[in-house]
Amino acid sequence: MTTENTAQGPTAAATTAATVTGLLAEIARTGTDAIRGGYTRPVYSTAELDLRTWFTEQATRRGLSVETDRNGAIWAWWDMPGGDRANALVTGSHLDSVPGGGAFDGPLGVASALVAVDLLKARMPEPTRPLAVVVFPEEEGSRFGVACLGSRLLSGAIDPDKARNLRDPDGNTFADVAGANGLDPRFIGRDDELLGRIGAFVELHVEQGRGLIDLNQPTAIASSILGHGRWALSVHGQGNHAGTTLMSDRHDPMVAASRMVVAVRDAARNQPHARATVGRLQPVPGGTNVIASRVDFWLDVRHPDDAVTAAVVETIHHHAQLIAAEEGCTVQLREESLSPTVHFDPGLGKELQKILPDAPILDTGAGHDAGVLAPYVPTAMVFVRNPSGISHSPEEHVVDEDAETGAAVLADALHGLMG
């Protein structure tokens, strides 16, 4: 299913370049989280839908032709005369967030792409190669548990039936939520026609570490993304009364889960360059005066070597089983998503290095839509300095000067790739 909104006439085109900081200021109050701080913008929430509307309006003002694909991604096209969209240059990012996330993870790439279009329009009356700005949905996986769901569906990296049956914390399936927001869930999945249009995808993103701080540089070109995955563990014990159950009589899954979290940390510490995190834990039923009957928690593991990632997860699973037995509980582990280590297209990377000779080369431990698409189309990334070195947090930051530099660098890169 595709919906399209085509801008017409000279009034739709931007006459002067906007600023990245100005665009981000327009959405600065959308999805603020009074409890966690920062922003909470899960896919198809009111906040995320408002941001989609904002993007569509911004793209239309620039004379771009806007459409939503069968998987919920929004595409804004700057077409060549005749409308041929083969071998297109694509840029963009996402607008959803983790719970309590920062202002720049995702929106910086979208705002920078819009400004880059303005800068390119000032240089050339029409593109010499079709250009699209894309907004992918559910990049963070904060609602349905699978990161980069939109790009996974587009590329066929996830089975559509699995995607349709994903559930959010309230028990709603992705099929139901997508259907309520204008998609036909019968048709989600790999889109060969759309995928075949992409000649190259260049994603700008805030850096989510300290690389550019240490290099004292505003931008960098990405080389690779560490392999990473998400696993769900369910620890089952015996629910009971907190006041009447003797300590010696308990089979408490919260105690077992707590010990497992420590085992996660230890397993990663024992493997150089590994990262393992438990950032979400849910006791059932969750009462203060109730011994839980089940505890669910989610595991994120990353390493440059995919075999090591698998070994770390196996070590964690082994220790979890031992701990569960000691506490009179059981544990089950289920893989939710897995992305192998990604090395971005070397040819595209060399072209970017020619266009941006002063940009350093960095790898990253954070996942991105560009990484999901890398096995299918040439992809590259540009990072913008984050002076806090902190991301997925309200403390994430980009200074105004770096934000504008990033958009200019992206415009230069896209202009150079126009050929």
Side-chain angles (χ1 to χ4, degrees):
M1 173 179 157
T2 298
T3 58
E4 186 165 352
N5 178 21
T6 304
Q8 300 290 336
T11 58
T15 55
T16 58
T19 63
V20 176
T21 52
L23 289 174
L24 292 177
E26 293 182 9
I27 60 174
R29 299 183 67 180
T30 304
T32 55
D33 192 320
I35 297 174
R36 301 179 181 93
Y39 296 88
T40 297
R41 298 161 167 169
V43 69
Y44 296 128
S45 64
T46 299
E48 200 255 3
L49 290 172
D50 287 346
L51 294 181
R52 285 167 166 263
T53 299
W54 167 82
F55 172 75
T56 298
E57 291 172 349
Q58 287 292 335
T60 302
R61 289 179 195 174
R62 289 163 171 78
L64 306 181
S65 177
V66 181
E67 62 185 32
T68 300
D69 70 20
R70 69 176 69 165
N71 298 307
I74 307 174
W75 299 76
W77 289 91
W78 186 19
D79 287 313
M80 296 174 59
D84 182 10
R85 292 178 175 175
N87 195 33
L89 280 176
V90 181
T91 187
S93 193
H94 62 98
L95 292 170
D96 64 306
S97 79
V98 298
F104 300 92
D105 181 353
L108 178 69
V110 175
S112 298
L114 291 169
V115 172
V117 168
D118 292 343
L119 296 173
L120 289 172
K121 281 179 170 279
R123 299 180 192 181
M124 56 180 69
E126 57 191 32
T128 56
R129 185 177 176 181
L131 175 69
V133 179
V134 64
V135 174
F136 284 113
E138 184 70 333
E139 194 271 354
E140 298 291 2
S142 60
R143 182 166 185 178
F144 291 100
V146 176
C148 301
L149 183 58
S151 54
R152 288 181 191 275
L153 285 167
L154 167 65
S155 61
I158 185 172
D159 180 81
D161 285 334
K162 178 180 178 180
R164 278 186 279 266
N165 290 302
L166 293 171
R167 291 185 181 272
D168 68 12
D170 294 324
N172 304 302
T173 67
F174 177 72
D176 289 341
V177 174
N181 286 278
L183 301 183
D184 189 329
R186 294 176 301 171
F187 301 123
I188 65 171
R190 183 179 171 100
D191 189 334
D192 287 310
E193 180 182 358
L194 184 52
L195 192 64
R197 291 177 182 174
I198 305 173
F201 177 55
V202 181
E203 181 176 3
L204 180 144
H205 205 279
V206 61
E207 193 204 355
Q208 295 176 277
R210 296 189 49 85
L212 285 167
I213 298 174
D214 297 337
L215 292 170
N216 194 29
Q217 293 287 332
T219 59
I221 298 170
S223 59
S224 60
I225 296 176
L226 271 63
H228 60 282
R230 296 182 182 186
W231 292 261
L233 291 94
S234 292
V235 187
H236 293 257
Q238 177 60 63
N240 215 329
H241 194 291
T244 62
T245 310
L246 298 177
M247 300 304 290
S248 59
D249 292 339
R250 299 186 179 203
H251 305 286
D252 190 341
M254 182 64 83
V255 173
S258 300
R259 292 179 59 192
M260 291 173 196
V261 171
V262 177
V264 167
R265 180 200 64 184
D266 293 344
R269 281 183 170 179
N270 290 333
Q271 188 63 249
H273 309 298
R275 297 102 190 257
T277 306
V278 175
R280 180 179 165 209
L281 184 148
Q282 293 180 338
V284 178
T288 303
N289 59 344
V290 180
I291 300 169
S293 59
R294 187 180 87 241
V295 175
D296 299 328
F297 67 96
W298 284 262
L299 172 67
D300 181 301
V301 179
R302 308 180 186 225
H303 192 276
D305 186 332
D306 298 333
V308 175
T309 300
V312 171
V313 173
E314 181 55 36
T315 297
I316 291 169
H317 189 201
H318 174 70
H319 285 295
Q321 290 175 312
L322 294 177
I323 292 167
E326 291 171 2
E327 297 293 341
C329 299
T330 61
V331 62
Q332 298 171 330
L333 179 142
R334 182 183 76 256
E335 179 185 301
E336 289 197 336
S337 65
L338 182 63
S339 298
T341 293
V342 171
H343 298 280
F344 290 113
D345 186 83
L348 183 56
K350 288 180 181 178
E351 289 188 63
L352 285 183
Q353 290 174 49
K354 291 178 183 177
I355 299 164
L356 310 171
D358 297 328
I361 311 299
L362 287 178
D363 63 10
T364 179
H368 301 282
D369 291 306
V372 171
L373 294 176
Y376 310 95
V377 298
T379 61
M381 292 191 70
V382 173
F383 292 134
V384 177
R385 177 168 49 194
N386 174 0
S388 70
I390 296 171
S391 189
H392 283 184
S393 162
E395 296 173 68
E396 175 184 274
H397 188 57
V398 174
V399 300
D400 294 355
E401 182 179 358
D402 286 353
E404 308 311 329
T405 296
V409 163
L410 180 62
D412 288 344
L414 296 172
H415 192 200
L417 294 170
M418 285 279 182

